[in-house]
Amino acid sequence: MTGEVLFSVREVSQKLGGAQILDRVSFDVHDRTRAGQTTGQIIGILGPSGVGKTRLIRIIAALDAPDSGSVVGIQGAPIEPGQVGVVFQDYPLLRHRTVRSNLEVAGIANGLSRAAAQGRAKKLLDLFRLGDRGSYYPAQLSGGQRQRVAIAQQIVCPKRLLLMDEPFSGLDPSALEEVMHLVVEVANMDELNTIGIVTHDIRAAMAVSDTLFMLGRDRTPDGKWLPGARIQETYDLVERGLAWRDDVMELPAFSSLEKEIRQKFKQL
Amino acid sequence: MSTLSTRGLARLFLPNRVIRSSTALALVAFWMATVLTVWLLSPFASLPTPGEVWTALGALWWRHGMGPELFTTMKLILHALALTVAISMALSYATMIAFFRPLVAAVSKLRFLGLTGLVFPFTLVTGGGYSLKVALLTFGMTTFFVTSMAQVVLEIPRVAFDHMRVLGASERRIFWEVVVRGTLDRALDVLRQNAAIGWAMITMVEGISRAEGGIGAMILNQNKHFLLAEVYAILLVILVLGLLMDYGMGVLTDLLCPYGRLERVRR
């Protein structure tokens, strides 16, 4: 079922160095509900490289202001920096702090007492199977471990919206499966949680999302791109019976939708 | 076996090869022996031999009070270094605030000035003597320290700040974590380089007021009388002291910032 609007991107436009990057991007994210189950939202924002996905993340997270338009949360409340978590592409961490300390500082920065932050860090280290890496520095972690720490750091103080920039890039199949599982787990920690996955990995995004937004530019009749990306398509995967299922990738409907999206993707 | 040795030897001449620490030590020993041999076989008769330098060193140490002179110089360098660190770090971190950026840039540009013309205004301000030497040395090192450290601060990637912002950290905490703590290992590296600059400037600075002594004044006095063995003996002492200080700072950096060593690529 679809409930209240949790956040809205309204007519967001932005130019960069005179070039139109985003052009009136608009979409809403609704609360998805399932009887007897805590169900967070997972949205996939798909788009080819260089289309403005990262730019859109920065605007949603209130790191940059759009030239026009707005991003609002529940009941139209404006979003302030720090309210939206972002797992950036290269998983930045504080290089001078250990893994445990990286988590603790995220808690303290959000007003938790030292003891509370330590408790929360310990819980997350166990949850993310990083218990034996607590005393490691970021330079000692593998790419996958670094990604898990970066995600854990963002949920030390839970945020309603967590955006992940290309979380599936460069992962081997087993690591990819692990991250997909982790994304679902984090989203389902709270009914009002929303994870936004910004990616060009169509298949992985389809497998975990309940809604897909396709960001891309329009073309002229003779095939030339027009400046400024907007939401070209919205796919409600719940409606299509392609969400919340472990075996979703084995369904014929999944394959045919993947084909359809790939075709569309090529034109963006 | 011989193939392995040939391969091992070939690695020393190929780019981007990792070598064992024992091999690295052997290489240092080889180069030192080469330098010593070149020195011993030097055709220049006026160049003192290692033996003459060694004898001069003994005489300087036991009869001319080199120990106390060294202490005077060390005190001066450490005093100036402490002031340089305090002033330069404050200026470098101030690059984060738009108002101070032109000031920091101006201080950095002053590194092109020599100290000679600055003696007079600095004497007026400090009154001369020890204070003048500290001020000149501090000035000289600060201009270089600020140049390097401000660059370190400017090179912090934007994502480092954004990462802390999305965590909900205040701008003050971001400054502390990203700018101050996040660059500590690099600041200590810059400090190492600037200590060397201090040693390079010491002769000039101590030459301004020789009455107070110091190793710089001592070298100038020996040079005036063309006592080359004594000059080289003092240079050797400066080199050893500088290297020891550099090593000590390296150990301190590794102790305070163990993560820095983890990030260095082994070549």
Side-chain angles (χ1 to χ4, degrees):
Chain A
M1 280 186 61
T2 300
E4 65 175 321
V5 174
L6 298 179
F7 84 93
S8 292
V9 175
R10 294 177 182 163
E11 300 278 311
V12 164
S13 295
Q14 197 181 40
K15 279 185 177 176
L16 195 68
Q20 190 78 43
I21 305 296
L22 300 171
D23 184 23
R24 288 168 289 133
V25 174
S26 292
F27 62 89
D28 290 334
V29 174
H30 294 266
D31 182 17
R32 299 286 197 170
T33 53
R34 275 189 290 176
Q37 284 190 62
T38 305
T39 307
Q41 295 57 240
I42 304 177
I43 59 161
I45 301 175
L46 289 170
S49 297
V51 81
K53 301 192 294 291
T54 302
R55 194 63 36 195
L56 183 60
I57 286 186
R58 295 185 59 83
I59 291 171
I60 295 174
L63 289 171
D64 291 337
D67 293 337
S68 61
S70 62
V71 181
V72 292
I74 295 174
Q75 291 173 342
I79 288 175
E80 302 288 334
Q83 286 181 344
V84 175
V86 181
V87 178
F88 291 99
Q89 210 167 350
D90 297 324
Y91 321 123
L93 294 169
L94 293 169
R95 58 190 280 274
H96 57 281
R97 287 186 176 272
T98 61
V99 168
R100 183 177 292 109
S101 181
N102 258 284
L103 300 189
E104 286 169 8
V105 82
I108 292 165
N110 276 279
L112 290 186
S113 68
R114 187 164 293 277
Q118 282 169 347
R120 184 82 183 132
K122 191 181 175 322
K123 250 185 208 170
L124 286 168
L125 284 174
D126 292 339
L127 183 70
F128 284 75
R129 288 176 290 105
L130 290 161
D132 59 340
R133 295 288 183 272
S135 60
Y136 281 41
Y137 283 100
Q140 293 170 289
L141 302 175
S142 70
Q145 288 166 345
R146 207 181 158 94
Q147 186 185 38
R148 294 213 297 275
V149 178
I151 297 171
Q153 198 182 34
Q154 293 296 334
I155 60 171
V156 172
C157 288
K159 288 170 178 141
R160 290 291 176 226
L161 176 57
L162 175 62
L163 301 170
M164 300 173 82
D165 194 0
E166 300 289 359
F168 308 130
S169 69
L171 298 178
D172 63 54
S174 92
L176 178 64
E177 207 169 301
E178 203 173 300
V179 173
M180 282 158 61
H181 186 73
L182 191 64
V183 167
V184 175
E185 209 172 318
V186 172
N188 289 340
M189 282 175 175
D190 192 286
E191 183 62 45
L192 297 180
N193 276 0
T194 300
I195 307 273
I197 296 164
V198 179
T199 182
H200 55 248
D201 188 327
I202 297 168
R203 194 172 168 78
M206 281 179 67
V208 294
S209 304
D210 55 64
T211 313
L212 287 177
F213 299 103
M214 193 173 264
L215 188 68
R217 287 171 290 177
D218 290 314
R219 284 189 191 234
T220 57
D222 57 339
K224 284 184 184 157
W225 274 310
L226 290 166
R230 62 180 182 84
I231 298 295
Q232 298 281 351
E233 290 289 344
T234 300
Y235 299 93
D236 186 335
L237 301 181
V238 177
E239 249 178 38
R240 293 168 183 250
L242 294 174
W244 309 326
R245 293 179 65 150
D246 289 337
D247 63 344
V248 71
M249 285 195 269
E250 287 149 32
L251 300 175
F254 183 92
S255 302
S256 65
L257 180 62
E258 186 188 351
K259 214 174 182 179
E260 181 189 326
I261 292 175
R262 279 191 196 283
Q263 282 302 321
K264 180 83 187 163
F265 202 87
K266 280 178 194 164
Q267 293 155 22
L268 297 177
Chain B
M1 184 72 189
S2 67
T3 320
L4 265 179
S5 306
T6 316
R7 266 194 208 156
L9 201 63
R11 289 178 76 83
L12 298 180
F13 297 94
L14 293 171
N16 307 323
R17 293 294 190 275
V18 176
I19 55 167
R20 281 191 231 132
S21 48
S22 56
T23 314
L25 270 176
L27 275 177
V28 172
F30 166 78
W31 280 109
M32 281 177 75
T34 307
V35 169
L36 206 62
T37 309
V38 170
W39 189 3
L40 280 168
L41 301 176
S42 161
F44 306 110
S46 55
L47 203 66
T49 62
E52 286 168 340
V53 171
W54 182 251
T55 310
L57 180 63
L60 284 170
W61 186 266
W62 297 113
R63 290 202 295 277
H64 298 283
M66 191 188 217
E69 302 289 5
L70 263 181
F71 178 77
T72 305
T73 301
M74 281 300 284
K75 189 180 149 208
L76 174 64
I77 284 203
L78 292 177
H79 188 172
L81 206 56
L83 286 174
T84 302
V85 170
I87 297 167
S88 305
M89 296 300 261
L91 282 170
S92 307
Y93 295 148
T95 51
M96 301 304 298
I97 302 165
F99 180 78
F100 293 111
R101 268 177 220 150
L103 175 70
V104 181
V107 170
S108 166
K109 299 291 180 283
L110 291 178
R111 69 189 184 281
F112 293 107
L113 294 180
L115 291 183
T116 315
L118 299 172
V119 174
F120 182 64
F122 271 76
T123 308
L124 290 176
V125 174
T126 61
Y130 178 75
S131 306
L132 171 66
K133 289 195 276 187
V134 170
L136 280 172
L137 203 54
T138 304
F139 173 83
M141 287 195 284
T142 297
T143 56
F144 286 97
F145 197 121
V146 166
T147 305
S148 308
M149 198 54 213
Q151 194 58 33
V152 167
V153 172
L154 284 172
E155 280 171 4
I156 300 172
R158 183 169 73 161
V159 74
F161 295 95
D162 289 341
H163 164 235
M164 288 300 286
R165 281 188 190 116
V166 296
L167 284 176
S170 65
E171 289 300 316
R172 193 171 290 188
R173 179 168 279 279
I174 293 171
F175 174 75
W176 172 246
E177 289 292 343
V178 177
V179 181
V180 180
R181 289 203 57 191
T183 61
L184 182 62
D185 58 327
R186 282 156 202 167
L188 288 169
D189 265 346
V190 171
L191 180 62
R192 273 174 86 174
Q193 308 308 324
N194 279 270
I197 291 170
W199 280 107
M201 285 180 175
I202 200 71
T203 311
M204 187 180 187
V205 169
E206 286 190 330
I208 291 164
S209 175
R210 292 193 201 180
E212 289 174 32
I215 201 108
M218 199 177 203
I219 203 170
L220 286 171
N221 289 336
Q222 304 300 322
N223 203 39
K224 196 169 79 179
H225 301 294
F226 209 64
L227 298 169
L228 282 185
E230 281 73 6
V231 170
Y232 279 87
I234 297 168
L235 283 179
L236 206 65
V237 169
I238 289 178
L239 180 68
V240 170
L241 268 179
L243 288 176
L244 281 175
M245 210 165 147
D246 193 63
Y247 178 76
M249 283 183 178
V251 171
L252 183 73
T253 307
D254 283 347
L255 276 175
L256 292 176
C257 315
Y259 50 88
R261 195 169 45 171
L262 297 171
E263 289 170 358
R264 278 196 286 271
V265 180
R266 196 169 164 237
R267 288 186 219 273

